[in-house]
DNA sequence: CTAGCCCAGATAATCGATTTTTGGAAGAAC
DNA sequence: GTTCTTCCAAAAATCGATTATCTGGGCTAG
């Protein structure tokens, strides 16, 4: 019934809009999120904007500087590398758990998610540097489906948090994205998971993430140019 | 200058007070956190209380039910077991990283934190069921010091989040706490870490957490025997 | 000429009041 | 006797305005 934003509370509408804007990179990392402007832009009061910003802070999509307002958190190659390492430390273990606990329902959802991901074009017609929204959603859904059967909602919450942070940093990464064969990596993950090869699947997922980190390290360390210069 | 709450912003004072109250178990899990009462009790307006509650939601110390206010999240044996499993999935890996990356500074802090923990009495005179605040702080500091050298602030943030959730659930757990030899387990962790035995230390930490989960599972099993049997 | 001080503009934090939503109770229809 | 509708009080969400705080530019003393 919620076809447009009609009927939805203003705070929800403003929150989702602002969240999408940050994730889409409409504000630069470090840029101030000015309540005044946002309130005007969304047609709500300062208090509502403040609430949205607080919620974004809770998700890691904004940072609060006391008495100095809110800014978009640091994002970029270095940050992405740290997040990829964290994911590489956590997600393989989750995948092992999921493979040992998953039932037929899980297998079915993994297969469905992979099918959608494989059939969704990664890029839109006029843009070959940023992934399409549809592909990003399918990508998220596939990884989530893989881990869903781990049976631990605390770990799944952690996964969601890291995924969000990862998406924000990827958006601001200077690293080249299209150099890898995501299709093959995802197909391999699906096959190893469905054939219940826990160790091999965990290793493949660790690689999937380590390759990202390594590529970023290569690009980030050589010259070491200052990230912010005034 | 900021020795008492004087000079500190009202929102900070109210936030810290409310956070401590929730962690100390002054509200039951599921109990409503009524803005009206809290505003009156802390001498601040509804807006400030609202901000505090939003921040607590971000930390996992409160839950938001849209249009129905805020409540203390579910806590207890079952929840603690889930959290312990999540920690067992993450922290051993972090410890391995810390042991391979830690320097002399890290060793020194681990040793100091362990000394303080070993010399802090776990219980206060008139209470032998809840750990003392000083011991809880030292316990946290020791575990944090162990993992500090992992070199990944995303993982460390995750640790802090899980620790907080763990503390809340432990407060509401019916499980018996004093049956274990924490002293020996912590000493063993310190020794293995300082002697750089990564695998053994990781295993010891996994045990440290698994024992908790197992004890809870025994007591929480649906058709199991009543907990008052020893 | 430099360093420290002070003032003004801008921005964040807070407040009290108003509007909207919710859950339950009272009453009518079947 | 049961079920559905209608109404109402309590609570959450939102607003506009006020107060406190920070930043940067200009001024004065040394």
């Amino acid at each position: 019934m919620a076809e447009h934003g009609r009927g939805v509370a203003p705070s929800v509408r403003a929150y989702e809009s602002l969240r999408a804007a940050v994730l889409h990179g409409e504000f630069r990392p470090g840029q101030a999120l000015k309540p005044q402007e946002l309130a005007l832009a969304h047609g709500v009061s300062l208090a509502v904007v403040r609430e949205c910003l607080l919620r974004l802070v809770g998700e890691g999509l904004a940072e609060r500087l006391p008495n100095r307002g809110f800014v978009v958190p640091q994002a970029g190659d270095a940050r992405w590398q740290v997040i990829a390492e964290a994911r590489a430390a956590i997600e393989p273990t989750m995948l092992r758990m999921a493979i040992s606990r998953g039932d037929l329902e899980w297998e079915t959802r993994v297969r469905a998610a992979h099918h959608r991901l494989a059939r969704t074009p990664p890029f839109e017609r006029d843009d070959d540097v940023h992934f399409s929204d549809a592909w990003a959603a399918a990508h998220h859904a596939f990884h989530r489906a893989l881990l869903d059967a781990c049976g631990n909602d605390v770990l799944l919450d952690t996964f969601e948090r890291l995924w969000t942070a990862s998406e924000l940093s990827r958006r601001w990464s200077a690293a080249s994205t299209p150099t890898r064969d995501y299709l093959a990596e995802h197909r391999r993950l699906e096959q190893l998971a469905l054939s219940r090869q826990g160790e091999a699947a965990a290793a493949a997922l660790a690689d999937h993430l380590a390759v990202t980190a390594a590529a970023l390290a290569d690009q980030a360390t050589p010259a070491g140019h200052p990230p912010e210069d005034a």
Side-chain angles (χ1 to χ4, degrees), chain A residues 6 21 28 47 62-63 65 81 98 107 113-115 126 134 136 140 142 149 154 157 164 170 182-183 205 224-225 227:
Chain A
R6 222 191 303 272
R28 256 173 282 175
E63 198 169 328
L65 312 176
Q81 194 181 344
E107 290 180 3
H114 181 263
H115 181 82
D126 55 342
H140 177 209
F142 173 65
V154 172
D157 282 351
T164 301
R170 184 167 62 68
Y182 277 116
L183 228 60
L205 182 53
H225 64 94

Side-chain angles (χ1 to χ4, degrees), chain A residues 20-187:
Chain A
V22 171
L23 277 177
H24 273 74
E26 294 178 21
F27 304 94
R28 256 173 282 175
Q31 182 174 349
L33 295 166
K34 302 188 179 183
Q36 204 88 334
E37 294 177 7
L38 299 173
L40 211 62
H42 292 82
V44 294
S45 75
L46 282 311
V48 174
V49 171
R50 199 175 174 74
E51 168 170 333
C52 294
L53 289 170
L54 258 329
R55 287 173 66 184
L56 288 179
V57 169
E59 278 189 86
L61 284 178
E63 198 169 328
R64 185 187 188 187
L65 312 176
N67 287 324
R68 278 210 269 158
F70 299 84
V71 299
V72 176
Q74 228 32 46
D77 289 341
R79 181 76 180 156
W80 196 15
Q81 194 181 344
V82 173
I83 296 167
E85 185 185 62
R87 292 182 55 195
I90 296 175
E91 293 181 24
T93 303
M94 290 177 69
L95 184 54
R96 256 186 242 109
M97 293 166 65
I99 286 174
S100 75
R101 295 179 183 178
D103 56 3
L104 175 60
E105 185 64 28
W106 168 70
E107 290 180 3
T108 306
R109 283 199 305 265
V110 166
R111 191 149 273 240
H114 181 263
H115 181 82
R116 177 180 295 276
L117 176 59
R119 299 302 185 95
T120 302
F123 301 105
E124 291 177 352
R125 288 184 302 279
D126 55 342
D127 186 352
D128 60 345
V129 52
H130 295 312
F131 293 110
S132 69
D133 286 352
W135 188 85
H139 189 207
H140 177 209
F142 173 65
H143 278 265
R144 166 75 192 216
L146 272 179
L147 305 178
D148 236 346
C150 80
N152 188 306
D153 57 332
V154 172
L155 284 174
L156 287 169
D157 282 351
T158 301
F159 163 75
E160 293 295 339
R161 171 174 299 266
L162 295 185
W163 184 275
T164 301
S166 185
E167 287 290 284
L168 179 62
S169 278
R170 184 167 62 68
R171 180 66 184 70
W172 288 103
S173 167
S176 52
T177 43
T179 56
R180 294 171 51 193
D181 192 350
Y182 277 116
L183 228 60
E185 291 181 35
H186 288 141
R187 189 165 47 231

Side-chain angles (χ1 to χ4, degrees), chain A residues 110-111 114 142 146 184-197 201:
Chain A
V110 166
R111 191 149 273 240
H114 181 263
F142 173 65
L146 272 179
E185 291 181 35
H186 288 141
R187 189 165 47 231
R188 179 167 165 74
L189 273 175
E190 185 215 14
Q191 287 171 349
L192 289 173
L194 292 188
S195 59
R196 308 281 177 165
Q197 299 179 255

